[in-house]
């Protein structure tokens, strides 16, 4: 599960990206050259970023002055002038051995597919609900790690907002009465994160969620939530 935990180099194997044009491996994503063809306007070329979260992001390079970036594949398809928009999995392509190959016929959509399976309830815990493992966040005041449980939508929102707060402290943890003076959990305890498959799991498809309706929020304006609900409508 190295790919789920970050590290663009671990997202895809050498075999999966062999002969794909413009590959660039970065810390938390992999980027490749992509495009979409309109019968009227020709090829619109861009750069596709693939994140382990399942997010897909296109920076358009159709003209030297184009400023369209952070587009979803669907928005890129429409921007290209494609006459039959709405089937971006088959109309947005990458170059493999000099040939245009639809995204649907590559490995590049595997994390996108996983995120949608998660949204549809593919990894449920013993109680039938979607399973999210416990996460930890550092207090910027005392430096200690604090556990946040993600058993409900309310708890997921607390964690989601905590990640977005640059100066999060123990005082922000309203779900538990923890202060900076309290001891940090022992390392032996931290490995127990609530995976339904294995108590000492370090991350698997049963407990690592790539995005679902429990941990994404319609009233949140962050790019992750906006993209999740935009893509779920396609």
């Amino acid at each position: 599960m190295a790919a789920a935990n970050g590290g663009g180099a671990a997202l895809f194997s050498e075999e999966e990206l062999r002969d794909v044009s413009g590959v660039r491996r970065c810390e938390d994503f992999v980027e490749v050259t992509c495009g979409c063809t309109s019968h009227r306007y020709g090829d619109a070329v861009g750069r596709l970023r693939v994140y382990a979260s399942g997010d897909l992001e296109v920076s358009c390079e159709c003209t030297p002055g184009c400023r369209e970036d952070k587009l979803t594949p669907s928005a890129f398809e429409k921007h290209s002038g494609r006459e039959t928009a709405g089937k971006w999995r088959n109309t947005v392509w990458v170059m493999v051995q000099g040939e245009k190959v639809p995204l649907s016929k590559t490995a590049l959509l595997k994390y996108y597919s996983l995120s949608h399976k998660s949204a549809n309830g593919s990894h449920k815990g013993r109680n039938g609900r979607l399973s999210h493992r416990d996460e930890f966040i550092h207090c910027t005041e005392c430096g200690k790690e604090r556990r946040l449980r993600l058993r409900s939508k309310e708890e997921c929102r607390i964690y989601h907002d905590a990640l977005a707060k640059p100066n999060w402290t123990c005082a922000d943890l309203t779900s538990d009465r923890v202060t900076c003076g309290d001891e940090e959990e022992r390392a032996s305890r931290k490995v127990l994160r609530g995976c339904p498959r294995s108590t000492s799991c370090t991350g698997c498809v049963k407990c690592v969620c790539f995005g679902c309706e429990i941990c994404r929020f319609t009233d949140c304006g962050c790019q992750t939530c906006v993209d999740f609900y935009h893509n779920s409508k396609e």
Side-chain angles (χ1 to χ4, degrees), residues 194-223:
C195 175
R197 182 186 65 85
S198 172
T199 56
S200 58
C201 177
T202 57
C204 72
V205 295
K206 292 291 185 181
C207 64
V208 177
C209 182
F210 293 97
C212 70
E213 292 182 354
I214 294 177
C215 63
R216 299 290 181 260
F217 309 94
T218 55
D219 62 340
C220 178
C222 79
Q223 197 63 48

Side-chain angles (χ1 to χ4, degrees), residues 65-122:
C66 183
R67 296 182 179 179
E68 294 291 341
D69 64 355
K70 296 187 178 180
L71 297 172
T72 64
S74 177
F76 175 62
E77 179 193 49
K78 293 173 185 176
H79 176 70
S80 74
R82 175 79 186 186
E83 290 77 9
T84 55
K87 299 180 179 180
W88 61 265
R89 294 170 183 79
N90 295 316
T91 59
V92 176
W93 43 260
V94 296
M95 297 297 293
V96 182
Q97 291 185 323
E99 299 289 333
K100 296 174 183 176
V101 177
L103 286 177
S104 61
K105 294 185 178 180
T106 72
L108 293 167
L109 294 184
K110 69 178 182 179
Y111 295 105
Y112 177 83
S113 299
L114 275 174
S115 71
H116 277 247
K117 285 181 181 179
S118 297
N120 292 326
S122 66

Side-chain angles (χ1 to χ4, degrees), residues 17 19-25 30-33 47:
L17 295 180
D19 300 319
V20 176
S21 295
V23 174
R24 185 166 73 98
R25 296 176 184 266
V30 166
E31 188 177 87
V32 300
T33 299
R47 300 287 296 172

Side-chain angles (χ1 to χ4, degrees), residues 138-155:
H138 273 98
C139 172
T140 57
E141 190 167 316
C142 67
K144 297 171 184 173
E145 278 192 328
R146 300 305 185 191
R147 180 188 297 266
L148 278 79
R149 292 173 175 80
L150 282 66
R151 301 294 188 272
S152 66
K153 191 170 183 71
E154 291 74 21
E155 289 178 338

